[in-house]
Amino acid sequence: MRHRRAIIIFALLALTALGGCASRGTPGTSATEARERPPAAPTATTMQHSTVKVSDPQHQWSFEGVARQVTQTGTAGPYDMVDVRGTYKKAGDPPVHMWAQRIRLDKQRNTMVLQGKVKVVGGAVTVEGDRIEYNLKTGEVVASSQTKWTFAPGEGKPEQMAAGKEGKP
Amino acid sequence: MRRRYRVLLAALVLAFATGAVAQTSTTGQTALGKVTITSNGPMEGTFRGTWQWTKGVTVTSQGLTLTCDTLKVWPAKSGRDFDRVEAEGNVKIKGSYTASDKTKWSVNGSAQHAEFDNRARVGKLAGSVDLHAVNQADKSAVSAKADTFTYNQKTQTFRLDRNGQPVAMEFEPGPAPAGGKGSAGR
């Protein structure tokens, strides 16, 4: 009797184990499995004290900068930069130099968001504020309220980059 | 003396109309130096195109402050000057102004609209125009109230209009010095 009971318990345990294996099965074998499996996260690469060079495939714009930290998500960005100084160049326009605590550049969306002690210099115009959004394709700028815009004719020379470059793209 | 007041008032109009941005001397150089603009709303523009501020704008330059509801600026292609400036809504100016002859004036003025076309060299104020300036040295004053005030920098002529009719500006000579001969404004 005791022996028979043990066999029955063992059988039940075996059936339970087999049912769990069946529910896992092989990848893609059922719609339920596809829904349950989370999408693979894009690979993020972080580099310290790095130079960033990003350009538009149609060569309509380019950005080159130096940052204390750069995180690139996926093979084509976006790029998250910390403590950045860089230069944005739109085809046909003079270069625009910029400094910020954080910059997020999304090449696929043609956008760049600068945050934290932002300073952007283009010719005789200097823009300083907390947040500035750039449309990299059109060069349009949208800045938050209380952004300071200064026009100083005769003082329009951009600050030299530490490396000695004048912000070449 | 009256001509001096006219020149001053015209210069103030330029400073007023442009928010002290695009005033130029006969040589075409921007006369008022650095200009700073901030706003309560977002700022939008491009470094090679127009800039626009909304929801309350403050423009400061060398002792003069202009406030308005919205401001739009068209930079010149050279990037060293402006083609056009437009200030709209509750335009007010206050501060001190040093004229070309080095005299200092305290300025107070208002209008609904101000604009300056740097290419045509024409400045305009419109809508309940009210200007008042006091010479800090002799306390003489010049003032004007009109519907529109237009100044042509090329011809150095200006015009005040109210209800379609020309309006004259008012001069107030300063108080005569004690014990001396008074000098009335001409």
Side-chain angles (χ1 to χ4, degrees), chain A residues 37-146:
Chain A
R37 180 171 298 108
T43 304
T45 305
T46 298
M47 297 160 282
Q48 306 294 330
H49 300 290
S50 183
T51 297
V52 178
K53 292 183 182 180
V54 185
S55 61
D56 174 44
Q58 286 79 38
H59 304 290
Q60 291 181 323
W61 60 264
S62 64
F63 174 85
E64 181 176 342
V66 177
R68 180 170 61 80
Q69 178 178 294
V70 179
T71 300
Q72 177 182 345
T73 304
T75 56
Y79 302 85
D80 288 293
M81 296 166 266
V82 177
D83 292 340
V84 195
R85 51 183 172 86
T87 300
Y88 158 74
K89 180 87 170 63
K90 181 174 170 291
D93 289 351
V96 177
H97 307 278
M98 50 193 66
W99 296 257
Q101 290 180 333
R102 297 179 303 282
I103 292 181
R104 182 174 176 90
L105 192 155
D106 193 328
K107 176 180 173 180
Q108 293 178 332
R109 295 183 180 182
N110 286 304
T111 60
M112 182 164 58
V113 178
L114 299 84
Q115 288 182 288
K117 294 184 179 178
V118 181
K119 181 176 180 179
V120 180
V121 179
V125 174
T126 299
V127 179
E128 297 169 275
D130 290 329
R131 180 187 170 92
I132 292 175
E133 293 184 26
Y134 241 106
N135 182 316
L136 295 167
K137 200 170 183 179
T138 63
E140 291 178 0
V141 172
V142 178
S144 58
S145 63
Q146 300 307 321

Side-chain angles (χ1 to χ4, degrees), chain B residues 98-148:
Chain B
T98 301
S100 56
D101 60 358
K102 310 298 182 188
T103 54
K104 293 185 179 180
W105 298 76
S106 67
V107 177
N108 246 304
S110 62
Q112 282 304 313
H113 172 83
E115 65 182 55
F116 183 74
D117 186 331
N118 200 24
R119 289 186 177 182
R121 295 284 201 268
V122 174
K124 184 177 179 181
L125 302 175
S128 303
V129 179
D130 189 346
L131 298 171
H132 187 72
V134 177
N135 186 314
Q136 294 301 293
D138 60 15
K139 303 304 177 187
S140 60
V142 58
S143 59
K145 287 188 178 183
D147 293 335
T148 60

Side-chain angles (χ1 to χ4, degrees), chain A residues 92-94 96 120 122 124-125 127 134 139-143 145-151 153-155, chain B residues 21 30 33-48 51 53 73 79-82:
Chain A
D93 289 351
V96 177
V120 180
V125 174
V127 179
Y134 241 106
E140 291 178 0
V141 172
V142 178
S145 63
Q146 300 307 321
T147 295
K148 181 179 170 185
W149 183 98
T150 304
F151 174 75
E155 297 179 21
Chain B
V21 170
T30 301
K34 185 180 289 187
V35 176
T36 300
I37 302 175
T38 58
S39 66
N40 295 324
M43 178 196 76
E44 298 181 23
T46 61
F47 281 90
R48 292 300 297 271
W51 292 92
W53 294 259
V73 169
R80 293 183 160 275
D81 211 329
F82 290 87

Side-chain angles (χ1 to χ4, degrees), chain B residues 6-23:
Chain B
R6 285 206 297 269
V7 170
L8 165 69
L9 195 55
L12 288 174
V13 169
L14 281 178
F16 191 96
T18 65
V21 170
Q23 181 179 1

